[in-house]
């Protein structure tokens, strides 16, 4: 089953603000809990948990990822299409963020997406 989730730029920012990272694990913030400043999640932190990404702010190493998959492509669009197809076929989730000038797309493992509330529990 292929899963694509589309968020607005504001919803993406709110999503990131609702997360924290502790001991290399991302999780949802809980009301009433206190979090240290170094537990804040931004796109840089999130990139460490993504299977693959395409972002104007963070270098997702598109060509390195494609090479890891032992694939080739004539251009970035074709490369991203192959990367996306590879991960979606393995149960991952594609998060597309609308509202930016450049593509903002993140591929997350199903378990992570579920734990972070992007998929039903």
């Amino acid at each position: 089953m292929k899963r694509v989730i589309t968020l607005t730029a504001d919803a993406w920012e709110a999503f990131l603000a609702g997360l924290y990272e502790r001991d290399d694990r991302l999780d949802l913030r809980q009301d009433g809990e206190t979090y240290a400043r170094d537990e804040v999640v931004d796109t840089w932190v999130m990139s460490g948990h993504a299977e693959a990404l395409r972002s104007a702010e963070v270098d997702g190493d598109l060509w390195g990822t494609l090479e890891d998959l032992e694939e080739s492509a004539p251009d970035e669009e074709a490369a991203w299409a192959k990367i996306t197809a590879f991960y979606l076929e393995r149960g991952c989730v594609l998060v597309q963020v609308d509202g930016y000038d450049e593509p903002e797309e993140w591929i997350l493992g199903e378990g992570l997406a579920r734990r972070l509330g992007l998929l039903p529990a």
Side-chain angles (χ1 to χ4, degrees):
M1 175 199 290
K2 294 184 179 181
R3 289 179 243 185
V4 178
I5 297 167
T6 303
L7 300 174
T8 65
D10 288 342
W12 173 248
E13 294 299 325
F15 169 70
L16 292 177
L19 304 176
Y20 71 97
E21 182 188 51
R22 185 178 296 157
D23 300 326
D24 295 326
R25 178 181 164 92
L26 281 183
D27 221 326
L28 293 171
R29 290 177 179 260
Q30 301 297 318
D31 289 339
E33 294 292 321
T34 304
Y35 301 92
R37 288 182 189 198
D38 66 349
E39 294 179 329
V40 170
V41 175
D42 59 12
T43 54
W44 294 100
V45 171
M46 185 63 152
S47 70
H49 297 273
E51 299 295 329
L53 63 103
R54 184 164 76 154
S55 172
E57 190 172 337
V58 180
D59 179 11
D61 191 17
L62 184 77
W63 296 109
T65 301
L66 191 66
E67 186 177 305
D68 289 345
L69 303 179
E70 299 179 358
E71 291 281 351
S72 61
D75 57 40
E76 286 187 14
E77 285 299 318
W80 182 247
K82 286 185 176 190
I83 291 167
T84 301
F86 175 87
Y87 283 105
L88 290 180
E89 286 173 5
R90 285 153 182 81
C92 290
V93 176
L94 174 64
V95 178
Q96 298 176 319
V97 184
D98 288 341
Y100 293 114
D101 292 337
E102 295 183 40
E104 191 73 29
E105 298 180 300
W106 296 73
I107 299 174
L108 306 177
E110 179 182 9
L112 177 62
R114 196 170 304 287
R115 188 171 71 246
L116 301 181
L118 292 170
L119 294 174

